[in-house]
Amino acid sequence: MPTPWRPFASYNLWLQFAPPIGQERWHCDMKRGFTKARSREPLVATLLATDTTPQRIGLLAQRGVYEFHQDPLMLYRSDAVTKVAEILQLNQESAVVQERVISILKNYYSNPILFGKNIIKLSRGDEGFPEPILIEQGNYQFNLFAAIDCIFKEQDGTLHILDFKTGQTDFDRRQAYVYLLAASFLYPTQPAVASFYNLENQKWSDPITATASHLNAFQIEMARISQQHQKDLQRYRHSPSEFKRIFPPNPGINCQYCPFNSICSFSELEVSA
Ligand code: SF4
């Protein structure tokens, strides 16, 4: 039976509504408009289908970690980095992607943080949408999507949800809370912690936990975001000419890194270039 359509929420949607603390000046609500309300327009669809360099590096890094753990002997091989680079077909990537990903593979090979761990789940990074988790908040139902990179079991039985990072962005604790909320539905009887590990600078965050009342507060917030997003989509469908009022632009230096700068009439690319 096909799964019925439901409104949704995810960390990614939350991020498109509200930036992490300290990154407010980079935030632009119009990006959410392009990504979610206008994704079927051919030009927007083409832009959305193209990975940016940071996205490509993130995907290949995740896939690299996955490949290191597919063959139990891989991490014992002296040529493991070359072997994984071949599996990833790194030679077909741009020079900057190749350089960064090779460095990530070397880092991981020298400090394989999952080695010897009881890994329950390790994603390749290209699986697409995760299974939705149905959440009922009062009489409102929505699907929570949480694309978890890795889960391993600590020796005391605690589930450890690990999110791999690349680049220089700071960890956003909200993402950890979304994962912990997801884990409370997927593994309701097991205690869980979440952490972030940056594959480039090899920094591992402290484990983050959440009490039941914290999780409840996050669930309410996710339901609110989901509802608000659906309202915005409906408003746009009803009045497409109101696009800029429903999803206000925030032009500035951030336009330089925005995937929609070639089609956005508010882009300040020339000014900042
Ligand atoms: S180009 Fe600038 S104003 Fe337009 S969506 Fe991107 S960040 Fe917002």
Side-chain angles (χ1 to χ4, degrees):
M1 214 170 75
T3 322
W5 180 88
R6 284 195 190 93
F8 78 99
S10 64
Y11 166 67
N12 185 272
L13 183 65
W14 197 355
L15 194 58
Q16 290 187 46
F17 260 98
I21 292 165
Q23 290 184 32
E24 292 79 4
R25 63 190 280 255
W26 299 93
H27 184 75
C28 176
D29 211 39
M30 189 165 273
K31 286 200 220 173
R32 179 168 61 95
F34 280 118
T35 311
K36 305 291 186 198
R38 295 176 55 180
S39 61
R40 296 211 180 126
E41 291 177 23
L43 278 177
V44 179
T46 306
L47 293 171
L48 286 172
T50 313
D51 287 336
T52 61
T53 297
Q55 282 169 336
R56 194 78 199 131
I57 291 167
L59 271 173
L60 289 164
Q62 170 77 37
R63 173 93 193 276
V65 173
Y66 171 88
E67 294 299 344
F68 273 122
H69 290 277
Q70 283 317 288
D71 175 351
L73 298 179
M74 184 65 91
L75 284 162
Y76 291 100
R77 293 177 63 145
S78 57
D79 64 347
V81 170
T82 313
K83 199 75 206 147
V84 172
E86 276 170 23
I87 297 171
L88 302 185
Q89 299 184 303
L90 266 193
N91 57 359
Q92 295 182 16
E93 303 291 334
S94 69
V96 60
V97 171
Q98 287 192 39
E99 189 188 330
R100 295 256 308 267
V101 176
I102 282 288
S103 153
I104 287 167
L105 297 181
K106 285 182 181 165
N107 281 350
Y108 193 79
Y109 179 66
S110 65
N111 183 22
I113 59 163
L114 293 176
F115 184 76
K117 295 268 193 291
N118 181 0
I119 300 173
I120 292 172
K121 171 195 164 83
L122 178 57
S123 76
R124 272 168 54 111
D126 57 1
E127 291 90 347
F129 278 109
E131 281 293 307
I133 299 166
L134 171 62
I135 296 190
E136 295 186 31
Q137 179 61 41
N139 55 9
Y140 183 70
Q141 291 190 332
F142 66 101
N143 282 333
L144 177 69
F145 289 99
I148 293 174
D149 292 341
C150 174
I151 305 177
F152 64 87
K153 209 178 224 182
E154 301 277 14
Q155 283 182 348
D156 66 358
T158 300
L159 294 179
H160 195 133
I161 302 166
L162 181 60
D163 190 72
F164 291 114
K165 295 287 176 208
T166 51
Q168 295 174 356
T169 348
D170 284 338
F171 305 134
D172 183 355
R173 292 176 73 88
R174 297 176 306 173
Q175 189 174 10
Y177 294 128
V178 172
Y179 290 155
L180 291 170
L181 179 60
S184 72
F185 285 90
L186 296 172
Y187 310 97
T189 58
Q190 285 174 274
V193 300
S195 69
F196 301 100
Y197 181 74
N198 187 308
L199 291 160
E200 294 196 84
N201 63 23
Q202 298 178 280
K203 274 194 199 154
W204 200 338
S205 76
D206 289 334
I208 296 164
T209 55
T211 61
S213 66
H214 270 128
L215 290 182
N216 190 41
F218 283 108
Q219 180 172 316
I220 291 168
E221 181 62 4
M222 297 304 278
R224 188 192 69 77
I225 289 166
S226 169
Q227 276 173 309
Q228 181 60 50
H229 183 56
Q230 290 309 315
K231 273 188 205 153
D232 291 345
L233 292 180
Q234 274 163 17
R235 273 178 73 202
Y236 174 69
R237 270 183 226 121
H238 192 250
S239 324
S241 60
E242 292 293 291
F243 182 66
K244 65 174 187 288
R245 268 177 276 279
I246 303 167
F247 304 102
N250 178 25
I253 194 161
N254 46 331
C255 297
Q256 220 174 315
Y257 308 99
C258 173
F260 307 108
N261 58 22
S262 58
I263 57 169
C264 174
S265 52
F266 299 92
S267 169
E268 281 192 359
L269 209 53
E270 294 85 355
V271 176
S272 54

